[in-house]
């Protein structure tokens, strides 16, 4: 019984103090993108325009390609050398399998008193060849990790804030960040 209380206390402590997500993203031209990243994107056979970005966050600096394929939005993240890190595909939460939705909902219910899901992305992490297979919609024999990145407007204690939650199909929260909106004099669209 004592171990259960200690484990619960550790779980509560982790989520009582969410880390803060700082992110700065700016557009770059393809001519400064690492050749490995350009090669990967060329192998995905995208027909739509590719927009390239540098993302600076609490986790470091990465390069991101954003585009659409078959009406779905994709974000492919690379390290600064052009090696793929992950692929994210925007989906509707309601389209997830029932068991996964239930697992995620139970976890979110334990953290928030009220919440609204703003955005859901399925995230794949694997080696380069497996990620290419997934982008080409081919079955992959190799293993890969599937996670869900969910942006939530949630109430904890007395206030609502935006949060980014990275969660696995079993409902285990991997990362929990409060999103800090940057002040800007520009109108954001």
């Amino acid at each position: 019984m004592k171990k259960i209380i200690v484990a619960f206390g550790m779980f509560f402590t982790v989520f009582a103090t969410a880390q803060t997500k700082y992110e700065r993203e700016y557009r770059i031209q393809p001519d400064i993108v690492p050749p490995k990243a350009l090669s990967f994107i060329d192998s995905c056979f995208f027909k739509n325009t590719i927009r390239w970005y540098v993302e600076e966050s609490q986790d470091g600096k990465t390069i991101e390609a954003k585009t659409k394929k078959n009406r779905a939005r994709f974000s492919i993240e690379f390290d600064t050398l052009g090696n793929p890190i992950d692929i994210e595909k925007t989906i509707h939460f309601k389209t997830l399998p029932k068991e996964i939705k239930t697992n995620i909902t139970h976890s979110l219910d334990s953290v928030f008193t009220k919440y609204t899901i703003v955005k859901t992305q399925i995230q794949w992490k694997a080696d380069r060849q497996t990620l290419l297979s997934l982008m080409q919609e081919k079955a992959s024999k190799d293993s890969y990790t599937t996670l869900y990145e969910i942006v939530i407007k949630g109430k904890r204690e007395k206030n609502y804030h935006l949060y980014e939650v990275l969660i696995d199909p079993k409902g285990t929260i991997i990362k929990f960040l409060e999103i800090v909106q940057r002040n800007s004099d520009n109108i954001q669209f």
Side-chain angles (χ1 to χ4, degrees):
M1 182 67 170
K2 199 174 201 178
K3 288 181 183 179
I4 293 172
I5 292 171
V6 170
F8 178 75
M10 289 171 56
F11 174 81
F12 182 75
T13 302
V14 168
F15 296 109
T17 57
Q19 292 181 351
T20 305
K21 178 180 181 172
Y22 297 98
E23 188 175 279
R24 178 176 173 249
E25 191 174 84
Y26 52 92
R27 186 110 185 250
I28 60 172
Q29 295 303 313
D31 60 336
I32 63 171
V33 173
K36 282 183 178 180
L38 291 169
S39 171
F40 182 91
I41 293 299
D42 287 344
S43 300
C44 293
F45 306 111
F46 288 116
K47 294 178 184 172
N48 291 342
T49 303
I50 309 294
R51 290 190 171 88
W52 290 95
Y53 297 87
V54 168
E55 183 181 290
E56 297 173 354
S57 71
Q58 70 280 353
D59 296 330
K61 188 176 184 178
T62 58
I63 296 169
E64 228 174 335
K66 295 184 180 187
T67 191
K68 287 183 180 180
K69 185 175 185 178
N70 301 332
R71 291 189 268 167
R73 292 181 187 270
F74 285 90
S75 175
I76 301 99
E77 191 170 16
F78 301 91
D79 65 20
T80 55
L81 299 175
N83 300 306
I85 297 171
D86 64 44
I87 295 175
E88 295 175 343
K89 177 183 177 184
T90 302
I91 58 173
H92 293 284
F93 185 77
K94 64 183 177 186
T95 63
L96 292 174
K98 185 178 179 178
E99 181 181 351
I100 293 173
K101 280 193 299 191
T102 301
N103 293 342
I104 291 172
T105 301
H106 285 327
S107 290
L108 296 177
D109 288 345
S110 70
V111 176
F112 298 102
T113 54
K114 291 183 181 180
Y115 65 90
T116 302
I117 295 175
V118 177
K119 180 180 180 182
T120 305
Q121 292 180 308
I122 188 168
Q123 182 187 86
W124 297 302
K125 289 183 173 275
D127 62 64
R128 179 185 177 90
Q129 193 56 47
T130 304
L131 289 175
L132 269 175
S133 294
L134 291 168
M135 282 307 304
Q136 294 168 355
E137 299 176 352
K138 296 178 182 175
S140 178
K141 297 175 187 171
D142 298 317
S143 66
Y144 58 92
T145 302
T146 301
L147 300 171
Y148 300 92
E149 185 177 283
I150 303 173
V151 175
I152 293 166
K153 181 178 180 183
K155 183 178 181 183
R156 299 178 70 214
E157 299 171 12
K158 296 179 181 180
N159 300 314
Y160 281 94
H161 294 283
L162 280 179
Y163 296 91
E164 181 180 282
V165 180
L166 187 64
I167 194 165
D168 73 10
K170 294 180 181 178
T172 304
I173 296 175
I174 310 297
K175 192 187 286 187
F176 186 82
L177 301 171
E178 181 179 340
I179 299 172
V180 175
Q181 301 290 329
R182 66 184 177 109
N183 292 333
S184 174
D185 293 334
N186 301 326
I187 297 174
Q188 304 293 318
F189 292 97

